[in-house]
Amino acid sequence: MPTVTLSIFAGVGAQLFDNNGDVLSGGKLYTYEAGTTTPLTSYTSSTGVTPHTNPIVLDAAGRVPGGEIWLDYTKRYKFVVRTSADVLIATYDNIGGSFNSEPLLANYVGTGAQTIFNLPSAPADENTTLVYVNGVYQQKNTYSVLGTVLTFSEAPPVTAGIEITFT
């Protein structure tokens, strides 16, 4: 059971509409890992026990059944809103929860050859990352971030401690 946080997108009682302003009755809300099309579980309550279906099918009023969406605290999500006929309405990426303003942390050990590191979730953008190798801050021009992948321009040394914090 993951620690969950209330979604800031359609989290409590939100009503969704189509592009004409009509209630999105029977609409679909898909949840994915941020920056990907890999499905990611959301939950029906703060217990983090019962997953929503994916997609979440909206009720006749265009609301999430049960009225709440709870997210894994350690993850960032992508929400895709579609009509009941699967016509795309909108996509919202890199969405966190209401309580995860704390930075996420990932730790690795350098091999001397490895330049690519897979993060547990996608940072909001490269500017929200702080990277340290053996406690030394790394300038932004020494690495790049694309989705959940951080790539160094040069491999960190063997046994180097690599710490990455991000929001």
Side-chain angles (χ1 to χ4, degrees):
M1 168 176 59
T3 301
V4 295
T5 180
L6 190 61
S7 174
I8 59 174
F9 176 80
V12 177
Q15 189 173 33
L16 300 176
F17 301 88
D18 67 16
N19 290 332
N20 297 318
D22 297 321
V23 170
L24 197 56
S25 177
K28 299 174 184 176
L29 181 58
Y30 293 84
T31 56
Y32 300 104
E33 289 182 30
T36 76
T37 56
T38 303
L40 187 58
T41 303
S42 64
Y43 300 89
T44 61
S45 73
S46 62
T47 64
V49 172
T50 306
H52 272 294
T53 59
N54 198 358
I56 300 168
V57 178
L58 304 176
D59 65 17
R63 290 187 169 95
V64 172
E68 297 179 356
I69 301 174
W70 291 81
L71 309 177
D72 183 325
Y73 180 85
T74 64
K75 305 289 183 184
R76 297 276 187 214
Y77 284 70
K78 177 168 73 174
F79 289 91
V80 176
V81 181
R82 295 182 173 270
T83 67
S84 59
D86 259 345
V87 175
L88 179 65
I89 299 289
T91 298
Y92 304 92
D93 208 350
N94 284 310
I95 306 296
S98 57
F99 304 115
N100 63 347
S101 61
E102 291 294 316
L104 299 175
L105 176 64
N107 288 297
Y108 305 94
V109 175
T111 65
Q114 182 180 358
T115 58
I116 297 173
F117 295 84
N118 292 308
L119 302 173
S121 65
D125 63 50
E126 190 173 285
N127 293 324
T128 67
T129 61
L130 296 174
V131 177
Y132 296 87
V133 175
N134 285 334
V136 177
Y137 174 76
Q138 303 298 297
Q139 297 294 325
K140 302 280 188 227
N141 64 354
T142 65
Y143 64 90
S144 63
V145 178
L146 181 61
T148 60
V149 177
L150 184 137
T151 305
F152 285 101
S153 55
E154 292 183 25
V158 174
T159 70
I162 302 164
E163 180 179 288
I164 304 166
T165 60
F166 57 96
T167 57

